[in-house]
Amino acid sequence: MKKTILPVAAIAALITACEQPSQPSGETRSPERAAYSLAIHGGAGTILRAEMSPEKEAAYRAALDTALNIGETVLRDGGTALDAVEQTISWLEDCPLFNAGKGAVFTHEGKNELDASIMDGRGQQAGAVGGVTNVRHPIRLARAVMERSPHVFLSGRGAEQFAGENGLEIVDPKWFFTQNRWESLQKALQQEAGQNNKHGQLKLPDHNPDHKFGTVGCVALDREGHFAAGTSTGGMTNKKWNRIGDSPVIGAGTYADDAACAVSCTGHGEFFIRYAVAHDVWALMMYKGLSLADAADLVINKKLVEKGGQGGLIAVDKDGHIAMPFNSEGMYRGFAKPGERKIMIFREQ
Ligand code: ASP
């Protein structure tokens, strides 16, 4: 495997917050069932080749490569799918290129409110948090909710209190600030003010088709045959009223069950909640006997398209097959299994 070198110092600076761990060694290819399998996404949306500079593309590819290395190292060394997902997403949360942790988008009020969830395919245990503002790694908090509380889903101040009580790293909310996300909010606010003046009425926060997403997710199958899935996000720019999207909603943004698959979604969250997207993939496999590829394709490219929902997902099945469908222009994505690795951004890859 080749290590991607960042060509431009300015772009390299974008990901200086992201440590670069060592590379895993080569692997042999397994023609049938992969010994382990890992997939990641860094969000779906309007990602066009024409608008992407080579430097920016290189920075994203390097970040995805590093994230894959982290998860693959855990799985290759016999670690659990759960650890691989948590560690991979924790790193992506620290990487300012993505809309999760540092680099999260801003709410209407200029805050970062973070959502995350994790699910363990063994026994379908799950943990989730919504609207946290000072926890450096929301995915770790989601795991703590799963493992150390009797609950599945905590939100806001209570979730932050739980984080403090359980020794999670608490940071000043300024930690999550990035200039480009701040500028995106200013643009959205200006557009919204223009709209409101034009129509003489308050415009509700809506999905902006030009919005670049950047949510992160990871699914994994470990050597023991167990699955895990996780998703982490800042949500959508200019969100109001403590809006929470699909990412922390088990069955919408995240799902894992050792009987079938692990799924992590990204896209316009309201649609993913209403159509229980992650669970729908699982249900089509369990109840209709569809393959992972067919189930994921049906949900993203037919059902969601008919409803007008934009986005995509990553998923892995019991043989380590990976599906990564999306109905937007692009999706930051990649996978790794013994002897195979690919990183993709645009549609035609
Ligand atoms: N699904 C996320 C949300 O709606 C956003 C994204 O995936 O880009 O909060």
Side-chain angles (χ1 to χ4, degrees), residues 38 70-71 74 80-93 118 137-144 146-148 168 218 220 228-230:
L38 178 88
I70 290 169
V74 173
T80 64
L82 199 60
D83 284 342
V85 166
E86 184 199 334
Q87 290 182 31
T88 303
I89 293 183
S90 292
W91 186 84
L92 288 165
E93 286 176 336
I118 196 162
H137 296 112
I139 195 71
R140 291 191 184 154
L141 179 55
R143 182 169 179 175
M146 174 174 78
E147 292 179 337
R148 295 184 231 159
L168 275 288
C218 180

Side-chain angles (χ1 to χ4, degrees), residues 41 43-44 99 115 211-216 231-236 239 243-248 265-270 272:
H41 71 72
N99 171 19
D115 306 332
H211 180 79
K212 312 280 191 296
F213 294 115
T215 293
V216 303
T231 312
S232 182
T233 189
M236 293 169 79
K239 64 184 182 181
R243 177 264 189 194
I244 292 178
D246 61 310
S247 305
C265 302
T266 175
H268 191 174
E270 281 68 13
F272 283 71

